[in-house]
Amino acid sequence: MKTENKNYTGIDWFRVIAAILIISIHTSPFHTYNEWGDFIITRVIARIAVPFFFMTTGFFFISRYNYHMEKLEIFIKKSVLIYSIAIVVYIPINIYNGYFKMENLLPNIIKDLVFDGTLYHLWYLPASLIGGILVWCLVRKWGYHKAFPVAIVLYFIGLFGDSYYGIIEKSSVLNSFYTCIFQVTDYTRNGIFFAPLFFLLGGWIADCQTSLRQTTAWIMFVLMMLLMVAEAITLHTFQLQRHDSMYFFLVPSMYFLFCALLHFRGKRHVWLRDVSLVLYVIHPMIIVIVRFVAKVLHVQTLFVENSVIHFLAVVVMSISLSMVVVALWRQLGGKKKKQEDLYRAYIEINLENLAHNVKVLNAAMPPKCELMAVVKAQAYGHGMYEIATHLDKIGVRAFAVATINEGIALRRYGIRGEILILGYTPPEQAKILQKYDLTQTLVDYAYAYRLNAQACKVKVHIKLDTGMHRLGFNVYTDSLTEKEIQNIFSVFSMQYLKINGIYTHLCVADSLVYEDVLFTRRQIAIFYKVINRLKKQGISIPKIHIQSSYGLLNYPELKCDYVRAGISLYGALSSPNTKTKLQLDLKPVLTLKARVVLIRKVKEGDYVGYGRDFVADKNSRIAILSIGYADGFPRVLSGKEQYVLINGQQAPIIARICMDQLAVDITALSNICVGMIATLIGKEGDKEIMAPIVAQNAESITNEFFSRIGTRVHIECC
C-alpha cells in the first residue's frame, strides 16, 4: 500500500503545530514570566518538532519497498531546491549580521552549507538531505534489521556530543574525538548523528503498519514526555549539556506520538504541508520584522519585551504570510493535476479489495493453512511491485513466481518470507538462488541431481506430476514405479538441497464435470499415496500444497499447508460461467482506463480504421481512445460488440483495434469531450464491464487477458 495515498490527517495538522513549536524555540514565549516553564517548553517539549519532520519524511520516503532510484532523485532535487531558495532568501540578513566578514570564509561557508545551515534554523535542511540519503541507502542495502543498529550507534555518538557532553568531556580520548567532530560540524545535531534514527523510525512504522491502540499510544507518549522532562531537568541542573536537542527519551516519545497521530484519518490537507514548510523557513525573517516594526513604532515593551505577545505576534504574522505565499504559489502554478490526468492509459489497483480478498481466502482455507500469493507475470498484469509490497505489508509471507528474475525482483522490492519459483531455473544459477534466498521447484530427478552438484545450499520444493504431464517427478501410474519412488527418496538425502515443500498441480480443478472430478480425485489420491510412502520410509514430510485458486474453490476440504492463490486473489474467475462449490465474496482489484484523445465527425458511408472494416451507416461521432492491443486490449475484440464506458454511458467499439488506439461510437452519447476517461474494465455508476466476460469475448480466459496488459499502461493504486 502506498503511504502517499493514505489520508493521514493527524500528520497534516501536526506539521503546523511542529512549526509553531520551532517558533517557540526561537522566541522563548515564557521567558518573561517563568524561566523553568520556558525551559520545559522550548528546550524539552518543542524538541519533538524536528524529529517529527524527519519521521514524517521517513514515513513517506524511507521504506524497504522504495527500490526506485527515481524516488531518491526526486527527494534530493526537492530538498536541494528548497535549501537553495532558503539560502538566497536569507542573504540580506547574513550581510546585515556580517556573516561574509568572518575569518576563513570559504571553509566556514562549506561547513555551514553541509551541516549547520547559513542561518541558525536552516541546519534542518542539509540534515534532512544527508540523513535521508544515508538511511535510504542503508535500508535498501541491508534492511531494517541492520540499518537500525547503525542509526542507534550514530544517535548515541550524537547524544554524548549534545545533552550528555559533560560526561565524556572529562575523558581526554573522547574529548579529542568530539573535538575533531566539532571542527567539521559545530553540533552533533545534524544529518549524520541526529536525523538517521528518526528517518528510519518513520519508514519502519510505515512498513510495519503498527497496530498500537490510540489510547495506549497517547498514554505512553505522555509518560515518555514526562520522563524526558525529568531527564532534561537533571542534565540542566548538573550542567551536562553542550546543546539540548538529543535525549534518550526523545526516541520513544516520538514513536508513540507518531503512532497516536496515525489514528487521525480524514480528508487530506496537502496545503498544510506547504504552509508548515514555508512557516519553518520564513519565521526568523518575521522575528526580525516584528522587532524592527516595534522599534520604529516605539512599542518594544509590548511586542518584544513581553515574550508571550512577541511569540503570538510572530506566530500570527508567520502563519498569515505562509498562507498567502502558498495560495499565490498554487494560483500561479495552477492546481496540481491528478496523476491519472497525465497518462494515456492506466490501471487502477484497489488495494482495499486486494486486502479483502486475502481475508476472504484465508477464512475459506483450513486451519493452519497459509496463503501463497501467486504474483508471476507482473501479478497477472496488476503490477508485481504494487501487489507484492501491499501483500507483504498486510501479512502475507509466501509468494510464488515463475522465474528466478521475478524472485530477485521481489527481494529487491523488500519482500520477506518464502518465494517459490514454480518454473525452471538453470542449475548453474544455484548461487543466485542462495544469494536471494529463493526456493526452487525440482522439476525431475535429473534436475535435482544437477542442482545438488552445484555444491551450494538451496531451498527447494519437490513437484510431483500426478497427471498434468508438465513439470515434476512422474508418479502418474496405476502402481508407482519403484525407481521413481527411490529417486524421490534420494532427493531427501542430497547434501545441498533443503526440502521445504512438496506439491502437485491439479489440471482440471476448475471443472465440476463428472469425468474431470474423477480425474482430479485420482490426482489427489496419487499425491497422498506418495506422501504415505515417504512417511513409511521415516522421511519427515515438509509443507505440502495441492490447491491453486480452483483447487480451493472446488476442493476446500483438502488440508494442506499452502493454497497457491492466483486469479482468485485478484477478485476474478478465469471464465464468467464457471461454477464452483465455494461462492466467495471476492472483489475485482483491477480497473482499466484510457483517455479520449480525439473526437471525429464521420459522414454516412465513410470508413474507419484498417481494412475499411467499419462503414458509418449514418452521420456519426467517433471518439479515439489511447489504448490498443500493445497495451493488452486484444485485437480479436474488433467487431465483437464490445463496448467501453464513458461518463457512465456505453460506447461500442468499432473498426479494428490498432496497436496504440481504438475507436468507439459516441453518436448516441451526450456530454463527451476530449480528455475524458473511458473505462474498459471496471465500474462506472451502475454499469460494470467484467474482465471474465471481456476475456471470453476475446476467446481467452481472464488469466491471459490480465497478464497481457502491457508495460506501457501506468499503474495507480487507490
Side-chain angles (χ1 to χ4, degrees):
M1 172 172 43
K2 291 186 176 179
T3 51
E4 297 93 329
N5 295 329
K6 288 214 165 191
N7 298 323
Y8 294 107
T9 308
I11 291 178
D12 290 337
W13 281 104
F14 201 82
R15 290 177 194 267
V16 177
I17 295 172
I20 293 172
L21 287 174
I22 288 171
I23 294 175
S24 74
I25 295 173
H26 299 142
T27 56
S28 297
F30 295 106
H31 177 72
T32 307
Y33 301 98
N34 187 293
E35 186 176 339
W36 272 107
D38 190 70
F39 172 80
I40 291 172
I41 291 294
T42 61
R43 296 296 178 259
V44 187
I45 295 175
R47 292 306 185 190
I48 68 175
V50 170
F52 168 77
F53 286 131
F54 287 148
M55 287 183 69
T56 299
T57 304
F59 184 78
F60 292 104
F61 166 60
I62 300 298
S63 169
R64 59 191 170 79
Y65 304 112
N66 289 331
Y67 71 103
H68 294 291
M69 286 298 294
E70 180 184 354
K71 192 155 189 175
L72 178 63
E73 291 169 4
I74 291 171
F75 169 75
I76 293 172
K77 287 177 182 178
K78 283 186 176 180
S79 299
V80 169
L81 177 62
I82 294 167
Y83 190 26
S84 300
I85 292 172
I87 289 171
V88 172
V89 166
Y90 281 102
I91 285 178
I93 292 180
N94 288 133
I95 294 173
Y96 177 78
N97 290 336
Y99 178 83
F100 297 103
K101 295 179 181 179
M102 73 171 80
E103 295 181 3
N104 301 315
L105 180 61
L106 183 58
N108 276 293
I109 285 179
I110 293 173
K111 181 181 72 172
D112 288 343
L113 285 173
V114 176
F115 291 109
D116 302 331
T118 55
L119 201 71
Y120 57 89
H121 75 306
L122 295 183
W123 72 270
Y124 164 78
L125 297 171
S128 179
L129 192 60
I130 293 171
I133 294 171
L134 177 61
V135 174
W136 190 91
C137 293
L138 286 174
V139 171
R140 185 169 186 256
K141 184 174 179 61
W142 292 337
Y144 290 112
H145 65 293
K146 291 183 179 178
F148 261 116
V150 174
I152 290 169
V153 168
L154 290 173
Y155 187 79
F156 267 76
I157 292 173
L159 193 69
F160 284 98
D162 193 83
S163 297
Y164 285 81
Y165 183 69
I167 294 176
I168 61 93
E169 193 177 19
K170 298 172 184 178
S171 167
S172 58
V173 175
L174 291 175
N175 195 28
S176 298
F177 170 71
Y178 279 96
T179 299
C180 293
I181 291 177
F182 295 138
Q183 286 177 348
V184 178
T185 171
D186 291 341
Y187 305 101
T188 51
R189 172 210 63 180
N190 56 47
I192 294 178
F193 303 109
F194 186 27
L197 184 56
F198 295 108
F199 267 99
L200 195 59
L201 199 57
W204 180 76
I205 290 173
D207 279 359
C208 294
Q209 294 294 301
T210 178
S211 58
L212 195 66
R213 292 178 58 188
Q214 184 177 11
T215 304
T216 303
W218 280 118
I219 291 173
M220 292 304 298
F221 168 65
V222 172
L223 177 60
M224 292 300 109
M225 284 299 295
L226 290 173
L227 291 172
M228 192 168 85
V229 169
E231 180 185 7
I233 291 173
T234 302
L235 295 170
H236 184 73
T237 302
F238 290 98
Q239 298 182 341
L240 297 176
Q241 297 161 301
R242 182 180 186 275
H243 196 252
D244 49 18
S245 286
M246 306 173 76
Y247 298 102
F248 279 114
F249 286 104
L250 179 59
V251 178
S253 295
M254 294 312 305
Y255 170 75
F256 291 116
L257 171 62
F258 213 87
C259 289
L261 292 174
L262 291 181
H263 286 279
F264 291 93
R265 302 292 184 89
K267 185 179 179 182
R268 186 76 197 272
H269 300 292
V270 179
W271 62 275
L272 288 174
R273 176 195 62 194
D274 300 332
V275 167
S276 65
L277 175 62
V278 177
L279 191 60
Y280 182 91
V281 172
I282 70 169
H283 77 269
M285 186 177 293
I286 301 300
I287 292 174
V288 173
I289 292 172
V290 168
R291 291 180 177 178
F292 175 76
V293 172
K295 183 177 180 180
V296 170
L297 298 178
H298 305 291
V299 288
Q300 290 171 287
T301 303
L302 179 62
F303 284 96
V304 178
E305 294 176 13
N306 187 314
S307 58
V308 172
I309 300 298
H310 177 59
F311 166 72
L312 292 175
V314 172
V315 168
V316 171
M317 286 188 64
S318 297
I319 291 177
S320 300
L321 183 57
S322 297
M323 294 179 72
V324 170
V325 169
V326 170
L328 288 173
W329 174 263
R330 284 172 168 258
Q331 186 147 9
L332 291 173
K335 249 188 174 180
K336 189 175 180 182
K337 288 188 175 183
K338 292 181 180 179
Q339 284 298 306
E340 57 264 30
D341 291 342
L342 306 175
Y343 306 120
R344 56 180 287 278
Y346 62 96
I347 59 176
E348 289 179 347
I349 301 300
N350 191 317
L351 296 177
E352 288 187 3
N353 283 0
L354 179 65
H356 167 84
N357 294 342
V358 169
K359 186 176 180 180
V360 169
L361 290 168
N362 278 329
M365 294 188 303
K368 298 182 180 180
C369 184
E370 187 177 353
L371 177 72
M372 179 180 283
V374 183
V375 293
K376 61 183 179 178
Q378 282 297 315
Y380 288 53
H382 290 61
M384 182 189 284
Y385 171 72
E386 290 77 8
I387 295 297
T389 53
H390 187 63
L391 291 174
D392 187 70
K393 286 182 181 182
I394 62 175
V396 175
R397 290 293 175 266
F399 296 84
V401 294
T403 69
I404 188 172
N405 288 335
E406 290 178 334
I408 291 170
L410 287 184
R411 288 292 186 228
R412 288 177 174 172
Y413 298 158
I415 300 304
R416 301 167 289 186
E418 181 166 22
I419 298 175
L420 173 64
I421 299 172
L422 298 170
Y424 174 83
T425 299
E428 293 75 18
Q429 291 187 295
K431 288 185 178 179
I432 299 176
L433 291 169
Q434 183 190 60
K435 177 183 177 181
Y436 289 98
D437 191 27
L438 303 175
T439 302
Q440 175 59 41
T441 290
L442 299 181
V443 301
D444 67 1
Y445 176 74
Y447 178 83
Y449 182 84
R450 289 173 58 204
L451 188 62
N452 184 66
Q454 304 303 312
C456 184
K457 290 282 186 181
V458 176
K459 296 177 180 178
V460 296
H461 281 206
I462 297 172
K463 184 169 187 180
L464 303 181
D465 175 13
T466 57
M468 190 167 185
H469 295 321
R470 202 169 57 174
L471 301 179
F473 289 70
N474 183 15
V475 295
Y476 181 70
T477 54
D478 291 329
S479 57
L480 295 174
T481 63
E482 197 60 32
K483 181 181 178 182
E484 195 69 347
I485 286 295
Q486 290 303 321
N487 284 341
I488 297 171
F489 290 162
S490 64
V491 169
F492 280 91
S493 62
M494 288 184 178
Q495 181 180 356
Y496 296 102
L497 302 185
K498 183 180 180 182
I499 316 297
N500 286 341
I502 183 168
Y503 73 101
T504 192
H505 194 86
L506 306 177
C507 54
V508 282
D510 58 330
S511 173
L512 293 179
V513 174
Y514 180 73
E515 291 79 5
D516 291 334
V517 172
L518 286 180
F519 190 89
T520 300
R521 292 292 181 191
R522 184 182 181 191
Q523 281 192 274
I524 295 168
I526 292 171
F527 179 81
Y528 280 109
K529 187 175 183 180
V530 175
I531 297 298
N532 290 331
R533 287 287 301 272
L534 292 173
K535 287 180 180 179
K536 288 179 181 179
Q537 290 293 322
I539 292 174
S540 177
I541 304 300
K543 292 185 176 182
I544 64 173
H545 45 111
I546 300 176
Q547 301 143 300
S548 54
S549 290
Y550 281 104
L552 173 66
L553 295 174
N554 284 330
Y555 302 89
E557 70 280 1
L558 295 178
K559 294 182 180 179
C560 298
D561 296 293
Y562 289 121
V563 166
R564 303 184 306 271
I567 193 65
S568 62
L569 184 63
Y570 307 107
L573 295 179
S574 297
S575 302
N577 301 318
T578 304
K579 302 299 181 182
T580 58
K581 287 182 180 179
L582 287 185
Q583 302 290 322
L584 301 182
D585 178 30
L586 300 173
K587 297 182 179 180
V589 174
L590 178 146
T591 299
L592 177 63
K593 297 185 176 184
R595 184 177 306 282
V596 176
V597 295
L598 190 67
I599 294 177
R600 287 200 178 279
K601 291 182 178 179
V602 177
K603 293 181 180 179
E604 182 180 353
D606 281 355
Y607 299 98
V608 177
Y610 283 116
R612 300 194 303 169
D613 283 356
F614 176 83
V615 57
D617 58 3
K618 60 181 178 297
N619 291 338
S620 306
R621 291 169 66 239
I622 306 301
I624 307 300
L625 306 186
S626 52
I627 191 170
Y629 60 77
D631 304 297
F633 202 77
R635 185 175 182 270
V636 71
L637 287 173
S638 306
K640 289 287 187 72
E641 298 184 356
Q642 187 66 42
Y643 62 88
V644 304
L645 298 174
I646 309 178
N647 203 20
Q649 305 169 82
Q650 293 181 353
I653 296 174
I654 61 169
R656 293 184 189 176
I657 295 172
C658 307
M659 181 179 284
D660 312 306
Q661 290 97 29
L662 60 82
V664 295
D665 188 350
I666 59 170
T667 307
L669 276 57
S670 59
N671 301 320
I672 307 299
C673 61
V674 171
M676 280 188 168
I677 301 299
T679 299
L680 293 89
I681 300 293
K683 193 172 184 178
E684 271 194 29
D686 60 349
K687 295 183 176 64
E688 185 173 10
I689 301 175
M690 303 292 291
I693 295 176
V694 176
Q696 179 177 259
N697 291 342
E699 302 171 13
S700 182
I701 59 172
T702 314
N703 311 48
E704 181 187 15
F705 174 59
F706 278 159
S707 61
R708 283 194 171 191
I709 294 177
T711 55
R712 302 191 310 186
V713 179
H714 186 79
I715 300 172
E716 280 289 304
C717 293
C718 58

